[in-house]
Amino acid sequence: MTSPFDLYKENAGAFDEFIVNSNAQDENWLGLAKSIENLGLSELKRRAIEVEQTQSARGITFTVGGQERTFPLDPLPRIIAYDEWNKVELGLTQRIAALEAFLDDIYGSQEIVRDKVIPKRVIANATQFSRPAAFPLMEYQMRITVAGLDLIRDEKGELVVLEDNLRTPSGVSYVIENRRAMARILPELFENYEIEPVTDYPSRLLASLISQAPSQVSDPLVVVLTPGIYNSAYFEHAFLARQMGVPLVEPRDLFAKGNEIFVRTTKSSRRVDVIYRRIDDEYIDPVFFRPDSYLGVPGLVNAVRAGGVTIANAVGNGVADDKLTYAYVDEIIDYYLHQKPILKNIETYRLEDSDVLSFVVENADRLVIKPVDASGGKGIVIGSQATDQELEEVKAAIVANPRGFIAQRIVNFSTIPTVVGNNIEPRHADLRPFIVSSPDGRYVVPGGLSRVALEAGSMVVNSSQGGGSKDTWIIKGRSRQRIATSSQLQKNSQSQIAIDLAKESAQ
Amino acid sequence: MTSRGSIVLARTAESLYWLGRYMERSESMARILDVHLHEIIGSNDDNEARWSDQMSTVFSFERNVESFDKLALGLSLDETVPSSIRYSIERAYENAKSARDAISLEYWELINVAFGRVSRYTLDQFGHGLFTFYSIIKERCAQGRGLAVSTMNRDAAWHFLNLGYNVEQLDILLRLIIEKRRSKIPEDWVVVLRSIGGHEAFLRATNSPVSEIGSLNFLIQERIFPRSILATMLRISNIVNELLRGLDESQGFSLPPELPRQIARLEYPLASETGEIDLLLDDLWSSHLLMCNFYYETFFSPLSKSNFNYPLRSEVWR
């Protein structure tokens, strides 16, 4: 039988996770290829389409430009070995711990600035630095309850950090739904592999939120705050609320009174203790931020400051996922934890230095230029793919406002086998792991969301721009025998039945 | 009733109530329009003009001079007509989405799929095939009701949904009867009975041919017919009593006397003079409106009656 992987070839220059691992005789990837060969690509696709229809019926969607779409799930999972993941997990928790300390510091006494590890202007000029957030938290509160970092695997095959998302990262619902879908697409593999489960996430998040409730409360009321049904991630908000068994509220359901927050119920009102909010800082409280925001709860920030309610994530986290702060994360880890960073950054040019700025302007066509305060891939210019006009525009913009941008080298990040039409082809993919922090410790979702660019050669994985997703499997180890012999086993058991029947009829 | 599950946000309650109303409205409208379209085949022009007039009064409050076909098409598939079936399904979907955490997955899935299907239909696709459209809608809505009944906890969320279904049922039946009373055409009452799926039920219950007074008796106060006004009001009163349990009576949260008064009144035989029946219908209609206001004040903007000076949602956000 010919395997659909026979014709599979990697792109020149990129690290292909299947080719490298199968050349190294990695059992897990070879087992996956073997299973796909046994199943046949057309059957795999048939199952995937069936699952997509179910997902669409259940409304597992996101919204782009007012249109609801399902998030295309590629039926081939991505496999990451347990040992490598252990290291990544340590690196992630280390990074979040350092950034948590950093946020506490800069919204407090700013010792890191006083010790001249980071220039004051980096913080003072950050658009996301938020004065209303400049107050010490209660000891039971966290600033970064949920983080979703973007990792990519570079040309050498090492997972490096591309971006920190510490505000309201989304995507975890797809991780859980994708795993459920994969169990229907490839049930054969679930029997043979020991895959680290992801379904713990909602209960971990709930536990963290409960532990951050104001201390005098014995039975805290936790709510998920969504901007409403037209938000692109509404599915996720409703999903998390249902999975945690807490009310899903909109801003108009809440009101502040005497530094406490209440929710309107059919039986007058109830005090709210913890709010897991999925609304950006800008909109959350018209008293402090945009006065024209209809999505805000007037008085919320004051209630938080007075300790009447906890919100997660805290206000003002944007300053720590500012792209220029990113360029200082190694120093931040060293300063607060006295440790060497476990996860590497991508080489980043800080444009504050005029020599660096002129170098970047000259070489803009070979670099990626990113605005420091945007998220979701907005405003990023990839030099090698940009038009002349775009390049000129971005050059003018960075000269006018060097603090507003950073430049990075273009990373030709790794590819993974992906079903495209009737073939399997390499496609670029990134990885977004999710980290839940609570006062008692941190939990990293094993794996995370692998987003894959469905266009050949494209490096844009954003779902809003035609990206798909993959289930990510952290495999602890597996019984090689079971895969190799599963078809044999079946034969054996069939012949055993035949023998038994023969015996019976003989008697 | 102190467990966490019993917290229903005022907004969620309102969404559930409207979800029920829009689902019921879609189903009732599909049935009413379907029946009238069938009756028009082989009927005379007078009937068509009259029904066209009646339907536009019942459903859109505007006098209509179009042909019945055109009117039915607009009331079915035109999303710019705020009383069309398509519009109702869309509102049902939005309310279901907003109350997503309070309804069951199966019920949600059904509404989501129905909305997806209906929003793909276009006006030109159904030149003469509206019957197919109506049967899809009736089927979907009936399935939805069944799924809700069989998959949802009987908690406050369920009561609000159920309240919406029943209030809409009452609303449409009252409108239909009041409008049909104006035309004084006795043959119309068969059509009315069919329109609410009660023709056979009428024959079985009364063993007599359809007459105006017989139909009115049946539609208004037949206890064993689940869609009659009396039966619907009895269900509403049970639901409201259930919802009021645990609310503070001293703040005025109690069942308005209107509802029990009307129910008691319907227990007695109808007067035979037609003038009295019209008075009764008008009275029922104003009680219905009063009850609708009561739901708002009591459940959906619950702080409006309390002594605190909280800003009302409508004052701040509209």
Side-chain angles (χ1 to χ4, degrees):
Chain A
M1 192 194 266
T2 59
S3 162
F5 281 94
D6 286 348
L7 296 170
Y8 186 78
K9 277 204 184 59
E10 75 263 50
N11 295 340
F15 182 96
D16 188 89
E17 299 187 13
F18 172 71
I19 299 282
V20 172
N21 285 304
S22 59
N23 286 347
Q25 295 299 311
D26 180 86
E27 295 173 355
N28 295 327
W29 281 97
L30 290 177
L32 172 66
K34 186 85 189 145
S35 309
I36 303 300
E37 187 186 328
N38 290 342
L39 190 66
L41 198 55
S42 53
E43 171 65 12
L44 181 69
K45 280 180 67 179
R46 195 189 61 74
R47 292 183 186 178
I49 288 168
E50 210 178 277
V51 167
E52 196 185 327
Q53 280 165 351
T54 327
Q55 291 204 333
S56 154
R58 290 171 60 179
I60 304 174
T61 52
F62 65 96
T63 316
V64 185
Q67 284 258 309
E68 288 212 20
R69 292 197 208 150
T70 51
F71 199 2
L73 168 65
D74 184 76
L76 294 174
R78 172 192 229 173
I79 295 173
I80 297 176
Y82 188 72
D83 293 341
E84 182 186 15
W85 182 253
N86 261 342
K87 194 195 123 189
V88 172
E89 207 175 284
L90 283 175
L92 291 168
T93 47
Q94 176 197 49
R95 200 172 168 102
I96 299 302
L99 289 169
E100 174 89 27
F102 170 72
L103 280 168
D104 261 343
D105 186 18
I106 60 158
Y107 287 129
S109 50
Q110 302 207 338
E111 282 170 30
I112 194 167
V113 176
R114 218 172 48 211
D115 291 341
K116 299 199 164 45
V117 178
I118 289 187
K120 187 171 177 76
R121 62 176 182 281
V122 170
I123 289 157
N125 295 338
T127 54
Q128 293 290 327
F129 183 81
S130 159
R131 302 217 174 269
F135 59 92
L137 293 187
M138 308 289 163
E139 70 276 15
Y140 50 80
Q141 290 172 330
M142 307 292 293
R143 288 189 186 269
I144 311 172
T145 302
V146 178
L149 270 52
D150 286 349
L151 306 183
I152 52 177
R153 206 183 272 285
D154 67 9
E155 295 88 342
K156 293 190 209 101
E158 191 178 355
L159 280 167
V160 296
V161 180
L162 181 68
E163 248 175 55
D164 305 289
N165 297 296
L166 311 175
R167 286 175 259 178
T168 53
S170 65
V172 73
S173 58
Y174 302 107
V175 175
I176 298 169
E177 287 292 347
N178 282 353
R179 178 62 52 84
R180 198 176 289 169
M182 286 308 292
R184 290 182 52 190
I185 297 176
L186 287 172
E188 298 89 349
L189 281 177
F190 279 80
E191 281 175 26
N192 294 316
Y193 287 124
E194 201 180 315
I195 305 164
E196 293 287 291
V198 294
T199 38
D200 277 358
Y201 180 86
S203 60
R204 298 283 188 147
L205 177 58
L206 181 62
S208 163
L209 294 169
I210 288 175
S211 67
Q212 295 184 54
S215 46
Q216 72 278 16
V217 182
S218 58
D219 179 22
L221 177 60
V222 177
V223 299
V224 176
L225 178 61
T226 173
I229 61 168
Y230 298 108
N231 186 269
S232 62
Y234 181 77
F235 162 72
E236 175 154 311
H237 307 161
F239 175 88
L240 288 174
R242 276 183 300 120
Q243 295 282 314
M244 295 195 288
V246 305
L248 177 65
V249 307
E250 290 181 19
R252 55 186 173 159
D253 298 327
L254 300 178
F255 63 92
K257 182 169 182 281
N259 284 337
E260 290 183 340
I261 300 293
F262 295 87
V263 59
R264 295 183 170 87
T265 75
T266 53
K267 296 178 178 173
S268 75
S269 60
R270 278 281 307 258
R271 198 187 110 114
V272 175
D273 303 299
V274 185
I275 301 173
Y276 177 51
R277 53 101 173 206
R278 297 294 296 262
I279 298 179
D280 292 342
D281 279 5
E282 250 187 296
Y283 296 100
I284 202 158
D285 187 345
V287 175
F288 283 102
F289 300 99
R290 289 177 61 149
D292 60 338
S293 170
Y294 278 77
L295 296 177
V297 181
L300 179 59
V301 170
N302 273 341
V304 173
R305 293 173 71 134
V309 69
T310 299
I311 66 170
N313 290 351
V315 175
N317 282 4
V319 66
D321 62 19
D322 185 290
K323 304 278 193 311
L324 190 56
T325 308
Y326 165 91
Y328 286 94
V329 167
D330 288 358
E331 283 93 329
I332 289 172
I333 292 173
D334 178 57
Y335 182 77
Y336 293 108
L337 306 179
H338 310 295
Q339 291 172 359
K340 286 242 169 306
I342 300 171
L343 290 174
K344 287 193 184 131
N345 274 358
I346 293 162
E347 203 180 318
T348 302
Y349 300 94
R350 305 167 185 165
L351 308 179
E352 314 149 285
D353 187 330
S354 60
D355 290 349
V356 176
L357 180 63
S358 53
F359 170 81
V360 167
V361 168
E362 272 166 40
N363 296 286
D365 56 331
R366 293 190 290 118
L367 296 168
V368 186
I369 293 166
K370 299 177 174 177
V372 291
D373 54 353
S375 61
K378 280 183 217 109
I380 291 178
V381 176
I382 300 172
S384 57
Q385 294 171 6
T387 62
D388 287 350
Q389 197 201 341
E390 279 170 344
L391 276 178
E392 288 311 315
E393 275 170 18
V394 78
K395 278 183 199 170
I398 59 176
V399 172
N401 178 18
R403 173 64 183 88
F405 296 87
I406 52 140
Q408 288 173 339
R409 75 181 178 88
I410 299 175
V411 181
N412 191 0
F413 58 97
S414 64
T415 54
I416 318 179
T418 302
V419 177
V420 180
N422 291 319
N423 295 309
I424 295 179
E425 290 177 18
R427 290 290 183 266
H428 291 287
D430 76 347
L431 176 64
R432 175 177 282 185
F434 293 89
I435 303 101
V436 176
S437 304
S438 75
D440 317 316
R442 295 192 159 77
Y443 164 77
V444 182
V445 179
L449 185 66
S450 284
R451 295 182 301 172
V452 51
L454 296 177
E455 294 290 316
S458 165
M459 297 205 191
V460 182
V461 295
N462 294 60
S463 50
S464 52
Q465 299 176 40
S469 69
K470 273 173 173 292
D471 194 11
T472 311
W473 292 359
I474 308 301
I475 296 184
K476 212 171 189 170
R478 76 188 175 92
S479 129
R480 191 172 149 74
Q481 266 75 19
R482 284 179 67 189
I483 277 217
T485 56
S486 60
S487 51
Q488 261 171 325
L489 269 177
Q490 228 173 0
K491 266 181 216 151
N492 286 349
S493 59
Q494 272 168 7
S495 48
Q496 189 60 46
I497 293 169
I499 293 167
D500 290 345
L501 283 174
K503 274 185 190 162
E504 234 169 77
S505 58
Q507 283 166 358
Chain B
M1 289 287 278
T2 51
S3 77
R4 189 47 52 75
S6 73
I7 294 185
V8 180
L9 306 185
R11 173 183 52 81
T12 311
E14 196 176 341
S15 287
L16 288 163
Y17 170 78
W18 280 106
L19 169 60
R21 287 200 67 165
Y22 280 117
M23 287 300 280
E24 174 65 29
R25 186 175 299 177
S26 309
E27 187 182 350
S28 303
M29 281 185 69
R31 191 178 291 115
I32 292 172
L33 292 172
D34 192 24
V35 167
H36 280 81
L37 271 180
H38 266 289
E39 294 292 329
I40 275 175
I41 299 170
S43 173
N44 58 33
D45 289 353
D46 283 355
N47 275 350
E48 182 173 349
R50 191 176 69 252
W51 287 340
S52 177
D53 202 38
Q54 285 171 351
M55 285 306 112
S56 55
T57 323
V58 171
F59 292 125
S60 58
F61 312 104
E62 281 168 17
R63 291 247 134 178
N64 181 281
V65 283
E66 286 173 297
S67 72
F68 196 86
D69 279 357
K70 245 184 153 176
L71 176 75
L73 197 60
L75 283 177
S76 305
L77 286 159
D78 193 342
E79 80 254 41
T80 60
V81 175
S83 49
S84 71
I85 294 175
R86 177 166 171 178
Y87 183 91
S88 295
I89 294 277
E90 196 175 330
R91 294 286 92 75
Y93 163 79
E94 279 174 356
N95 282 297
K97 206 170 172 182
S98 169
R100 180 61 194 91
D101 55 334
I103 59 176
S104 66
L105 176 67
E106 285 91 339
Y107 188 44
W108 156 249
E109 205 172 312
L110 180 119
I111 295 167
N112 186 31
V113 171
F115 168 69
R117 263 185 101 170
V118 170
S119 60
R120 278 198 304 273
Y121 292 140
T122 59
L123 278 173
D124 0 319
Q125 237 175 312
F126 281 91
H128 293 283
L130 277 172
F131 299 119
T132 333
F133 176 71
Y134 295 140
S135 71
I136 290 171
I137 294 292
K138 283 190 290 184
E139 207 172 282
R140 284 277 156 184
C141 290
Q143 278 174 7
R145 196 193 279 256
L147 282 173
V149 166
S150 58
T151 59
M152 281 180 62
N153 282 345
R154 294 300 184 266
D155 55 9
W158 159 259
H159 293 312
F160 283 112
L161 180 68
N162 200 13
L163 180 67
Y165 269 107
N166 283 293
V167 168
E168 185 66 21
Q169 203 169 303
L170 185 64
D171 186 279
I172 286 202
L173 183 56
L174 273 172
R175 276 168 199 256
L176 194 66
I177 295 178
I178 290 171
E179 189 53 35
K180 291 286 183 185
R181 285 278 300 164
R182 286 188 221 278
S183 63
K184 318 269 186 222
I185 309 279
E187 292 81 43
D188 263 13
W189 290 98
V190 180
V191 183
V192 176
L193 286 170
R194 286 218 177 106
S195 295
I196 58 159
H199 187 215
E200 287 184 9
F202 173 85
L203 295 175
R204 282 174 59 93
T206 61
N207 281 322
S208 59
V210 176
S211 65
E212 176 167 10
I213 197 73
S215 309
L216 281 170
N217 263 313
F218 179 75
L219 290 173
I220 293 174
Q221 55 179 177
E222 181 54 69
R223 272 172 171 274
I224 61 168
F225 178 54
R227 287 177 170 264
S228 76
I229 289 173
L230 178 59
T232 312
M233 279 188 153
L234 282 169
R235 279 197 302 277
I236 290 177
S237 126
N238 284 342
I239 295 167
V240 176
N241 274 324
E242 198 67 43
L243 286 171
L244 282 170
R245 212 177 278 172
L247 275 185
D248 192 355
E249 271 191 39
S250 65
Q251 293 193 344
F253 295 127
S254 59
L255 188 67
E258 280 301 299
L259 194 60
R261 181 174 71 80
Q262 296 292 8
I263 290 173
R265 193 171 159 191
L266 293 180
E267 309 267 354
Y268 291 95
L270 285 188
S272 51
E273 293 102 69
T274 47
E276 296 228 347
I277 291 181
D278 284 333
L279 281 179
L280 171 70
L281 286 170
D282 283 348
D283 202 27
L284 284 172
W285 180 252
S286 45
S287 307
H288 166 62
L289 295 183
L290 189 135
M291 287 304 292
C292 287
N293 281 336
F294 165 77
Y295 307 139
Y296 269 89
E297 284 168 9
T298 313
F299 304 119
F300 307 148
S301 47
L303 300 174
S304 60
K305 276 198 176 180
S306 62
N307 304 323
F308 306 116
N309 284 326
Y310 296 134
L312 280 184
R313 197 172 117 191
S314 51
E315 289 166 15
V316 177
W317 301 118
R318 287 202 184 132

